[in-house]
Amino acid sequence: EAGVAQSPRYKIIEKRQSVAFWCNPISGHATLYWYQQILGQGPKLLIQFQNNGVVDDSQLPKDRFSAERLKGVDSTLKIQPAKLEDSAVYLCASSFKGSTEAFFGQGTRLTVV
Amino acid sequence: DAKTTQPPSMDCAEGRAANLPCNHSTISGNEYVYWYRQIHSQGPQYIIHGLKNNETNEMASLIITEDRKSSTLILPHATLRDTAVYYCIVRVGTGANNLFFGTGTRLTVIP
């Protein structure tokens, strides 16, 4: 079974630039999550989708972060404009609706300089 | 969701059992205990979860005390590939949404 695919694996941008990350969840998984993991910390949920609808975006900094899952499958997370403190690994995860287990991708490591 | 306390790091000899403790003294009756781990440069991986009873699967065993205020994850025969950060998470219900990871325990398996 293919896992959660994310791209790119690494990205370096200058502050105030824009960046987008892509996630392809496991086939059939209705629930998709984006997490942010700052170095030395555990992952923190940014947003959760159920199919193409947002379930929880309470911790998403909406002034600069946006995410969409238009067809209920792939998802993109965008940061515009980026700040130095956005340097982190951005993890995408997916699960069956109501499932106990979430499957995570390898993440995208973002460095803002 | 209740907070958890874990030691920041532990070592374990290869082939021996690794016992990772977690304190969750403020856990409420409808909160489950979950364990995930994160190997370097990878995303977190689900290990096991439980409510009251001890649980075992192909990866590990979960021992929850009778008062549910603490639990222990047991890796029966640790291998070098088990070196990772282990997260104990307490949350309501059995869904995978909004997992609060904390900082976890960094387990190093020593040859």
Side-chain angles (χ1 to χ4, degrees):
Chain A
E1 174 183 271
V4 176
Q6 291 189 246
S7 68
R9 284 281 280 136
Y10 305 93
K11 189 74 176 179
I12 301 174
I13 62 171
E14 296 182 349
K15 59 184 179 184
R16 292 188 289 273
Q17 285 188 323
S18 301
V19 65
F21 313 126
W22 173 83
C23 173
N24 180 236
I26 292 172
S27 178
H29 282 191
T31 308
L32 184 146
Y33 318 80
W34 283 101
Y35 281 80
Q36 179 194 58
Q37 185 171 23
I38 293 172
L39 186 64
Q41 300 181 17
K44 182 187 81 171
L45 180 71
L46 292 175
I47 189 167
Q48 176 187 342
F49 291 94
Q50 186 69 32
N51 297 308
N52 61 350
V54 175
V55 174
D56 183 358
D57 64 356
S58 58
Q59 298 184 79
L60 186 73
K62 298 181 186 63
D63 57 334
R64 297 183 300 106
F65 286 65
S66 64
E68 60 183 15
R69 194 184 183 200
L70 293 175
K71 297 182 179 179
V73 180
D74 294 4
S75 177
T76 56
L77 176 69
K78 297 179 181 177
I79 307 175
Q80 179 180 12
K83 293 185 176 181
L84 296 177
E85 58 261 36
D86 298 331
S87 294
V89 175
Y90 290 84
L91 294 158
C92 179
S94 70
S95 69
F96 287 112
K97 181 181 178 182
S99 169
T100 300
E101 182 177 357
F103 294 83
F104 284 79
Q106 288 189 294
T108 296
R109 181 177 297 278
L110 173 68
T111 303
V112 183
V113 298
Chain B
D1 294 337
K3 289 189 176 180
T4 62
T5 304
Q6 299 178 253
S9 63
M10 292 181 62
D11 292 340
C12 177
E14 187 178 18
R16 306 296 288 267
N19 297 281
L20 293 97
C22 180
N23 182 284
H24 31 79
S25 58
T26 60
I27 193 170
S28 59
N30 60 347
E31 289 183 308
Y32 287 72
V33 180
Y34 284 76
W35 284 84
Y36 276 73
R37 74 179 181 183
Q38 188 172 23
I39 294 169
H40 183 63
S41 294
Q42 295 184 22
Q45 176 191 23
Y46 167 84
I47 301 173
I48 199 168
H49 78 286
L51 181 62
K52 296 181 186 178
N53 301 321
N54 298 337
E55 302 287 344
T56 296
N57 63 20
E58 64 278 4
M59 290 183 68
S61 294
L62 173 61
I63 308 299
I64 303 174
T65 58
E66 193 168 340
D67 63 6
R68 303 211 319 122
K69 294 183 184 300
S70 65
S71 60
T72 301
L73 179 74
I74 301 173
L75 308 178
H77 306 286
T79 70
L80 299 179
R81 287 174 292 182
D82 292 323
T83 293
V85 177
Y86 288 76
Y87 296 99
C88 171
I89 301 163
V90 172
R91 66 174 306 282
V92 173
T94 54
N97 51 294
N98 205 0
L99 299 166
F100 179 74
F101 281 84
T103 53
T105 295
R106 180 173 298 278
L107 175 69
T108 302
V109 180
I110 301 168

